Amino acid sequence: MPYKVRIDPRDTCISDMVCVSICGEVFEMNDDDGKSHIKAEFRTDPNNLAEGVIPDDLKDCAQEAADSCPVNIIHVEPA
Ligand code: SF4
């Protein structure tokens, strides 16, 4: 089952890289604004850095990142 992943509101990311450390398969830091974004390969809209769809085998690491984000802006839900 695919899962939707959102970073919302992305502008409140504090750039501590926790999500990237836990789940670098899905998240990476953006060179322009220094905040986390969804890797391009998973984005539903190439221009929307904050939303994507991931396969089932990445759900657990994305959920762990969501549970660990200090500002609770990562959301994982069935697509
Ligand atoms: S864990 Fe949260 S605050 Fe930290 S970089 Fe990722 S999205 Fe931003």
Coordinates of all heavy atoms in Angstrom, one line a residue:
M1 N 0.8 -1.2 0.0 CA 0.0 0.0 0.0 C 0.9 1.3 0.0 O 1.8 1.3 0.8 CB -0.9 0.0 1.3 CG -1.7 1.3 1.4 SD -2.4 1.5 3.1 CE -3.8 0.4 3.0
P2 N 0.6 2.2 -0.9 CA 1.4 3.4 -0.9 C 1.0 4.4 0.3 O -0.2 4.3 0.7 CB 1.1 4.1 -2.2 CG -0.2 3.5 -2.6 CD -0.3 2.1 -2.0
Y3 N 1.9 5.2 0.7 CA 1.6 6.2 1.8 C 1.9 7.6 1.3 O 2.9 7.8 0.6 CB 2.4 5.8 3.0 CG 1.8 4.6 3.8 CD1 2.2 3.4 3.3 CD2 0.9 4.8 4.8 CE1 1.7 2.2 4.0 CE2 0.4 3.6 5.4 CZ 0.8 2.4 5.0 OH 0.3 1.3 5.6
K4 N 1.0 8.5 1.7 CA 1.3 9.9 1.5 C 2.1 10.5 2.6 O 1.9 10.2 3.8 CB 0.0 10.7 1.4 CG 0.2 12.2 1.1 CD -1.1 12.9 1.1 CE -2.0 12.7 -0.1 NZ -3.1 13.6 -0.1
V5 N 3.2 11.2 2.3 CA 4.0 11.9 3.3 C 4.0 13.4 3.0 O 4.1 13.8 1.9 CB 5.5 11.4 3.2 CG1 6.3 12.1 4.3 CG2 5.6 9.9 3.3
R6 N 3.7 14.1 4.1 CA 3.7 15.6 4.0 C 4.6 16.2 5.0 O 4.7 15.7 6.1 CB 2.3 16.1 4.2 CG 1.3 15.8 3.1 CD -0.1 16.3 3.4 NE -0.7 15.7 4.6 CZ -1.1 16.4 5.7 NH1 -0.9 17.7 5.8 NH2 -1.6 15.8 6.7
I7 N 5.2 17.3 4.7 CA 5.9 18.2 5.7 C 5.1 19.5 5.7 O 5.2 20.3 4.8 CB 7.4 18.5 5.2 CG1 8.1 17.2 4.9 CG2 8.1 19.2 6.3 CD1 9.5 17.4 4.2
D8 N 4.3 19.6 6.7 CA 3.3 20.6 6.8 C 3.1 21.1 8.2 O 2.7 20.4 9.0 CB 2.0 20.1 6.1 CG 1.0 21.2 6.1 OD1 1.3 22.4 5.8 OD2 -0.2 20.8 6.2
P9 N 3.3 22.4 8.4 CA 3.7 23.5 7.5 C 5.3 23.4 7.4 O 6.0 23.6 8.4 CB 3.3 24.8 8.2 CG 3.2 24.5 9.6 CD 2.9 23.0 9.8
R10 N 5.7 23.3 6.2 CA 7.2 23.1 5.9 C 8.0 24.3 6.4 O 9.2 24.2 6.8 CB 7.4 22.8 4.5 CG 8.9 22.6 4.1 CD 9.1 22.1 2.7 NE 10.5 22.1 2.4 CZ 11.2 23.1 2.0 NH1 10.6 24.3 1.7 NH2 12.5 23.0 1.8
D11 N 7.4 25.5 6.4 CA 8.2 26.7 6.7 C 8.5 26.7 8.2 O 9.4 27.6 8.6 CB 7.5 28.0 6.3 CG 6.1 28.2 7.0 OD1 5.6 27.3 7.7 OD2 5.5 29.3 6.8
T12 N 8.0 25.8 9.0 CA 8.3 25.8 10.5 C 9.4 24.8 10.7 O 9.8 24.6 11.9 CB 7.1 25.5 11.3 OG1 6.6 24.2 11.0 CG2 6.0 26.6 11.1
C13 N 9.9 24.1 9.7 CA 11.1 23.2 9.9 C 12.2 23.9 10.5 O 12.6 25.0 10.1 CB 11.5 22.6 8.5 SG 13.0 21.7 8.6
I14 N 12.8 23.3 11.6 CA 13.9 24.0 12.2 C 15.3 23.4 11.8 O 16.3 23.7 12.4 CB 13.8 23.9 13.8 CG1 13.8 22.4 14.2 CG2 12.6 24.6 14.3 CD1 13.9 22.3 15.8
S15 N 15.3 22.7 10.7 CA 16.5 22.3 10.0 C 17.5 21.5 10.9 O 18.7 21.6 10.7 CB 17.2 23.5 9.5 OG 16.4 24.3 8.7
D16 N 17.0 20.7 11.8 CA 17.9 19.9 12.7 C 18.3 18.6 12.1 O 19.1 17.8 12.7 CB 17.2 19.7 14.0 CG 16.0 18.8 14.0 OD1 15.6 18.5 12.9 OD2 15.5 18.5 15.0
M17 N 17.7 18.2 10.9 CA 18.1 17.1 10.1 C 17.7 15.7 10.8 O 18.3 14.7 10.4 CB 19.6 17.1 9.8 CG 20.1 18.2 9.0 SD 21.8 18.2 8.5 CE 21.9 16.7 7.5
V18 N 16.9 15.7 11.8 CA 16.5 14.5 12.4 C 15.8 13.5 11.4 O 16.2 12.3 11.3 CB 15.5 14.8 13.6 CG1 14.8 13.5 14.1 CG2 16.3 15.4 14.7
C19 N 14.9 14.0 10.6 CA 14.2 13.2 9.6 C 15.2 12.6 8.6 O 15.1 11.4 8.2 CB 13.1 13.9 8.9 SG 13.6 15.5 8.1
V20 N 16.2 13.4 8.2 CA 17.2 12.9 7.2 C 18.0 11.8 7.8 O 18.4 10.8 7.2 CB 18.0 14.1 6.7 CG1 19.1 13.6 5.8 CG2 17.1 15.1 6.0
S21 N 18.4 12.0 9.1 CA 19.2 11.0 9.8 C 18.5 9.7 9.9 O 19.0 8.6 9.7 CB 19.6 11.5 11.2 OG 20.3 12.7 11.1
I22 N 17.2 9.8 10.2 CA 16.4 8.6 10.4 C 15.9 7.9 9.1 O 15.9 6.7 8.9 CB 15.1 8.9 11.3 CG1 15.6 9.2 12.7 CG2 14.1 7.7 11.3 CD1 14.4 9.8 13.5
C23 N 15.6 8.8 8.1 CA 15.0 8.2 6.9 C 15.5 9.0 5.7 O 14.7 9.7 5.0 CB 13.4 8.3 7.0 SG 12.6 7.4 5.7
G24 N 16.7 8.9 5.4 CA 17.3 9.6 4.3 C 16.9 9.1 2.9 O 17.1 9.8 1.9
E25 N 16.2 8.0 2.9 CA 15.6 7.5 1.7 C 14.5 8.4 1.2 O 14.2 8.5 0.0 CB 15.0 6.1 1.9 CG 16.1 5.0 2.2 CD 16.2 4.8 3.7 OE1 16.0 5.8 4.5 OE2 16.5 3.7 4.1
V26 N 13.8 9.1 2.1 CA 12.6 9.9 1.8 C 12.9 11.4 1.9 O 12.4 12.2 1.1 CB 11.4 9.5 2.7 CG1 10.2 10.4 2.4 CG2 11.0 8.0 2.4
F27 N 13.7 11.8 2.9 CA 13.9 13.2 3.2 C 15.3 13.6 2.9 O 16.2 12.8 3.1 CB 13.6 13.5 4.7 CG 12.2 13.0 5.2 CD1 12.0 11.8 5.8 CD2 11.1 13.9 5.0 CE1 10.7 11.4 6.2 CE2 9.8 13.5 5.4 CZ 9.7 12.2 6.0
E28 N 15.4 14.8 2.5 CA 16.8 15.4 2.4 C 16.7 16.9 2.6 O 15.6 17.5 2.5 CB 17.4 15.1 1.0 CG 16.8 15.7 -0.2 CD 17.4 15.3 -1.5 OE1 18.3 14.5 -1.5 OE2 16.8 15.7 -2.5
M29 N 17.8 17.5 2.9 CA 17.8 19.0 3.2 C 17.9 19.7 1.9 O 18.6 19.3 0.9 CB 19.0 19.3 4.1 CG 19.0 18.6 5.4 SD 17.5 18.6 6.3 CE 17.4 20.3 6.9
N30 N 17.1 20.8 1.8 CA 17.1 21.6 0.6 C 18.2 22.6 0.6 O 18.4 23.4 1.6 CB 15.7 22.3 0.6 CG 15.5 23.2 -0.7 OD1 16.0 24.3 -0.8 ND2 14.8 22.6 -1.6
D31 N 18.9 22.7 -0.5 CA 20.1 23.6 -0.6 C 19.7 25.0 -0.6 O 20.5 25.9 -0.2 CB 20.9 23.3 -1.9 CG 21.7 22.0 -1.8 OD1 21.9 21.5 -0.7 OD2 22.0 21.4 -2.8
D32 N 18.5 25.3 -1.0 CA 18.2 26.8 -1.1 C 17.7 27.4 0.2 O 18.2 28.4 0.6 CB 17.0 26.9 -2.2 CG 17.6 26.6 -3.6 OD1 18.8 26.9 -3.8 OD2 16.8 26.2 -4.4
D33 N 16.8 26.7 0.9 CA 16.3 27.3 2.1 C 16.7 26.5 3.4 O 16.4 27.0 4.5 CB 14.7 27.4 2.1 CG 14.0 26.1 2.0 OD1 14.6 25.0 2.2 OD2 12.8 26.1 1.8
G34 N 17.5 25.4 3.2 CA 18.0 24.8 4.4 C 17.0 24.0 5.2 O 17.3 23.5 6.3
K35 N 15.8 23.8 4.7 CA 14.8 23.0 5.3 C 14.6 21.6 4.7 O 15.1 21.4 3.5 CB 13.4 23.7 5.3 CG 13.5 25.1 6.0 CD 12.2 25.8 5.9 CE 12.2 27.2 6.5 NZ 12.5 27.2 8.0
S36 N 14.0 20.7 5.4 CA 13.8 19.4 4.8 C 12.8 19.4 3.7 O 11.9 20.2 3.7 CB 13.3 18.5 5.9 OG 13.0 17.2 5.4
H37 N 13.0 18.5 2.7 CA 12.0 18.3 1.7 C 11.9 16.9 1.3 O 12.7 16.0 1.7 CB 12.3 19.2 0.4 CG 13.5 18.8 -0.4 ND1 14.2 19.7 -1.1 CD2 14.1 17.6 -0.5 CE1 15.2 19.1 -1.7 NE2 15.2 17.8 -1.4
I38 N 10.8 16.5 0.6 CA 10.6 15.2 0.1 C 11.5 15.0 -1.1 O 11.5 15.9 -2.0 CB 9.1 14.9 -0.3 CG1 8.2 15.3 0.8 CG2 8.9 13.5 -0.8 CD1 8.2 14.4 2.0
K39 N 12.2 13.9 -1.2 CA 13.1 13.7 -2.3 C 12.3 13.7 -3.6 O 11.1 13.2 -3.7 CB 13.8 12.3 -2.2 CG 15.0 12.4 -1.3 CD 15.8 11.1 -1.4 CE 17.2 11.2 -0.8 NZ 17.9 9.9 -0.9
A40 N 12.9 14.2 -4.7 CA 12.2 14.5 -5.9 C 11.5 13.2 -6.5 O 10.4 13.3 -7.0 CB 13.1 15.0 -7.0
E41 N 12.2 12.1 -6.3 CA 11.6 10.8 -6.9 C 10.3 10.4 -6.3 O 9.5 9.7 -6.9 CB 12.6 9.7 -6.7 CG 12.8 9.3 -5.3 CD 14.2 8.6 -5.1 OE1 14.2 7.3 -5.2 OE2 15.2 9.2 -4.8
F42 N 9.9 11.0 -5.1 CA 8.6 10.6 -4.5 C 7.6 11.7 -4.6 O 6.5 11.5 -4.1 CB 8.9 10.3 -3.0 CG 9.8 9.1 -2.8 CD1 11.0 9.2 -2.2 CD2 9.5 7.8 -3.3 CE1 11.9 8.1 -2.0 CE2 10.3 6.7 -3.2 CZ 11.5 6.9 -2.5
R43 N 7.9 12.9 -5.1 CA 7.0 14.0 -5.1 C 5.8 13.7 -6.1 O 6.1 13.2 -7.2 CB 7.7 15.3 -5.5 CG 8.4 15.9 -4.4 CD 9.1 17.2 -4.8 NE 10.4 17.3 -4.2 CZ 11.5 17.9 -4.7 NH1 11.4 18.5 -5.9 NH2 12.6 17.9 -4.1
T44 N 4.7 14.1 -5.7 CA 3.5 14.0 -6.6 C 3.5 15.2 -7.6 O 3.1 15.0 -8.7 CB 2.2 13.9 -5.8 OG1 2.3 14.8 -4.7 CG2 2.0 12.5 -5.2
D45 N 3.9 16.3 -7.1 CA 4.1 17.5 -7.9 C 5.5 17.9 -7.8 O 6.0 18.2 -6.7 CB 3.1 18.6 -7.4 CG 3.3 19.9 -8.1 OD1 4.3 20.1 -8.9 OD2 2.5 20.9 -7.9
P46 N 6.3 17.9 -8.9 CA 7.7 18.3 -8.8 C 8.0 19.6 -8.1 O 9.1 19.8 -7.6 CB 8.2 18.3 -10.3 CG 7.1 17.7 -11.1 CD 5.8 17.7 -10.3
N47 N 7.0 20.5 -8.2 CA 7.2 21.8 -7.6 C 6.8 21.9 -6.2 O 7.0 23.0 -5.5 CB 6.5 22.9 -8.4 CG 7.0 23.0 -9.8 OD1 8.2 23.0 -10.0 ND2 6.1 23.0 -10.8
N48 N 6.2 20.9 -5.6 CA 5.8 20.9 -4.2 C 6.7 20.0 -3.4 O 6.7 18.8 -3.5 CB 4.3 20.3 -4.1 CG 3.8 20.4 -2.7 OD1 4.6 20.7 -1.8 ND2 2.6 20.0 -2.5
L49 N 7.6 20.7 -2.7 CA 8.7 20.1 -2.0 C 8.2 19.3 -0.8 O 8.9 18.5 -0.1 CB 9.7 21.1 -1.5 CG 10.4 22.0 -2.6 CD1 11.2 23.1 -1.9 CD2 11.2 21.1 -3.5
A50 N 6.9 19.6 -0.4 CA 6.4 19.2 0.9 C 5.5 18.0 0.9 O 4.9 17.6 1.9 CB 5.7 20.3 1.6
E51 N 5.3 17.4 -0.3 CA 4.3 16.3 -0.4 C 4.8 15.2 -1.4 O 5.3 15.5 -2.4 CB 3.0 16.8 -0.8 CG 1.9 15.7 -0.7 CD 0.5 16.3 -0.9 OE1 0.1 17.3 -0.2 OE2 -0.3 15.8 -1.8
G52 N 4.6 13.9 -1.0 CA 5.0 12.9 -1.9 C 4.2 11.6 -1.5 O 3.5 11.5 -0.5
V53 N 4.5 10.6 -2.3 CA 3.9 9.2 -2.1 C 5.1 8.2 -2.1 O 5.9 8.2 -3.0 CB 2.9 8.9 -3.2 CG1 2.4 7.4 -3.0 CG2 1.7 9.8 -3.1
I54 N 5.1 7.4 -1.0 CA 6.2 6.4 -0.8 C 5.6 5.0 -0.8 O 4.4 4.8 -0.5 CB 6.9 6.7 0.5 CG1 6.0 6.6 1.7 CG2 7.7 8.0 0.4 CD1 6.7 6.6 3.0
P55 N 6.4 4.1 -1.2 CA 6.0 2.7 -1.1 C 5.9 2.1 0.3 O 6.6 2.7 1.2 CB 7.0 1.9 -2.0 CG 8.3 2.8 -1.9 CD 7.8 4.2 -1.8
D56 N 5.3 1.1 0.4 CA 5.1 0.4 1.8 C 6.4 0.2 2.5 O 6.4 0.4 3.7 CB 4.3 -0.9 1.6 CG 3.9 -1.5 2.9 OD1 3.1 -0.9 3.6 OD2 4.4 -2.6 3.2
D57 N 7.4 -0.2 1.8 CA 8.6 -0.6 2.5 C 9.4 0.6 3.1 O 10.3 0.5 3.9 CB 9.6 -1.4 1.6 CG 10.1 -0.7 0.4 OD1 9.4 0.4 0.0 OD2 11.1 -1.1 -0.2
L58 N 8.9 1.8 2.8 CA 9.6 3.0 3.4 C 8.6 3.7 4.4 O 9.0 4.7 5.1 CB 9.9 4.1 2.3 CG 11.0 3.7 1.4 CD1 11.2 4.7 0.3 CD2 12.3 3.5 2.1
K59 N 7.5 3.1 4.7 CA 6.5 3.6 5.6 C 7.1 3.7 7.0 O 6.9 4.7 7.7 CB 5.2 2.8 5.5 CG 4.1 3.5 6.3 CD 3.8 2.8 7.6 CE 2.6 3.4 8.3 NZ 2.4 2.8 9.6
D60 N 7.8 2.6 7.4 CA 8.2 2.6 8.8 C 9.3 3.6 9.1 O 9.2 4.3 10.2 CB 8.8 1.2 9.2 CG 7.7 0.1 9.3 OD1 6.5 0.5 9.4 OD2 8.0 -1.0 9.4
C61 N 10.2 3.9 8.2 CA 11.2 4.9 8.5 C 10.6 6.3 8.4 O 11.0 7.1 9.2 CB 12.5 4.7 7.6 SG 12.6 5.5 6.0
A62 N 9.7 6.5 7.5 CA 9.0 7.8 7.4 C 8.2 8.0 8.7 O 8.2 9.2 9.2 CB 8.1 7.9 6.2
Q63 N 7.5 7.0 9.2 CA 6.8 7.2 10.4 C 7.7 7.4 11.6 O 7.3 8.2 12.5 CB 5.9 5.9 10.6 CG 5.0 6.1 11.8 CD 4.0 7.2 11.7 OE1 3.2 7.2 10.7 NE2 4.0 8.2 12.6
E64 N 8.8 6.8 11.6 CA 9.8 7.0 12.7 C 10.3 8.5 12.7 O 10.4 9.1 13.7 CB 10.9 6.0 12.7 CG 11.8 6.1 13.9 CD 13.0 5.1 13.8 OE1 12.9 4.1 13.0 OE2 13.9 5.3 14.6
A65 N 10.5 9.0 11.5 CA 10.9 10.4 11.3 C 9.8 11.3 11.8 O 10.0 12.3 12.5 CB 11.2 10.6 9.8
A66 N 8.6 10.9 11.4 CA 7.4 11.7 11.9 C 7.3 11.8 13.4 O 7.1 12.8 14.0 CB 6.1 11.2 11.3
D67 N 7.5 10.6 14.0 CA 7.4 10.5 15.5 C 8.6 11.3 16.2 O 8.4 11.6 17.3 CB 7.4 9.0 15.9 CG 6.2 8.3 15.5 OD1 5.2 8.9 15.1 OD2 6.3 7.0 15.4
S68 N 9.7 11.5 15.5 CA 10.9 12.1 16.1 C 11.0 13.5 15.7 O 11.9 14.2 16.3 CB 12.1 11.3 15.6 OG 12.0 9.9 15.9
C69 N 10.3 14.0 14.8 CA 10.4 15.5 14.4 C 10.0 16.3 15.6 O 8.9 16.2 16.1 CB 9.5 15.8 13.2 SG 9.4 17.5 12.8
P70 N 10.9 17.2 16.0 CA 10.7 18.0 17.2 C 9.5 19.0 17.1 O 9.0 19.4 18.1 CB 12.0 18.7 17.5 CG 12.7 18.7 16.2 CD 12.3 17.5 15.5
V71 N 9.2 19.3 15.9 CA 8.1 20.3 15.7 C 6.8 19.6 15.0 O 5.9 20.3 14.7 CB 8.5 21.5 14.9 CG1 9.5 22.4 15.7 CG2 9.2 21.2 13.6
N72 N 6.8 18.3 15.0 CA 5.7 17.5 14.6 C 5.0 18.0 13.2 O 3.8 18.1 13.1 CB 4.6 17.6 15.7 CG 5.1 16.9 16.9 OD1 5.6 15.8 16.9 ND2 5.0 17.6 18.0
I73 N 5.9 18.2 12.2 CA 5.3 18.7 11.0 C 5.3 17.6 9.9 O 4.9 17.8 8.8 CB 6.0 19.9 10.5 CG1 7.5 19.7 10.3 CG2 5.8 21.1 11.4 CD1 8.3 20.8 9.6
I74 N 5.8 16.4 10.2 CA 5.8 15.3 9.3 C 4.6 14.4 9.5 O 4.3 14.0 10.6 CB 7.1 14.4 9.4 CG1 8.3 15.3 9.1 CG2 7.0 13.2 8.4 CD1 9.6 14.6 9.3
H75 N 3.8 14.1 8.4 CA 2.6 13.4 8.5 C 2.6 12.2 7.5 O 2.9 12.4 6.3 CB 1.4 14.3 8.2 CG 1.5 15.6 8.9 ND1 1.1 15.7 10.3 CD2 1.9 16.8 8.6 CE1 1.3 17.0 10.7 NE2 1.8 17.7 9.6
V76 N 2.3 11.0 8.0 CA 2.3 9.8 7.1 C 0.9 9.2 7.2 O 0.4 8.9 8.3 CB 3.3 8.8 7.6 CG1 3.4 7.6 6.7 CG2 4.7 9.4 7.6
E77 N 0.3 9.0 6.1 CA -1.1 8.5 6.1 C -1.3 7.7 4.8 O -0.6 7.9 3.8 CB -2.1 9.6 6.1 CG -2.0 10.6 5.0 CD -2.5 12.0 5.4 OE1 -2.5 12.4 6.6 OE2 -2.8 12.8 4.5
P78 N -2.2 6.7 4.8 CA -2.5 5.9 3.6 C -2.8 6.9 2.4 O -3.6 7.8 2.6 CB -3.7 5.1 4.0 CG -3.6 5.0 5.5 CD -3.1 6.3 5.9
A79 N -2.3 6.6 1.2 CA -2.5 7.4 0.1 C -3.8 7.2 -0.5 O -4.4 6.1 -0.4 CB -1.4 7.2 -1.0
Ligands
SF4_1 S1 12.8 16.5 11.7 FE1 11.3 18.1 11.4 S2 12.3 20.0 12.0 FE2 13.9 18.4 11.8 S3 14.6 18.7 9.7 FE3 13.0 17.2 9.6 S4 11.1 18.3 9.2 FE4 12.6 19.8 9.8

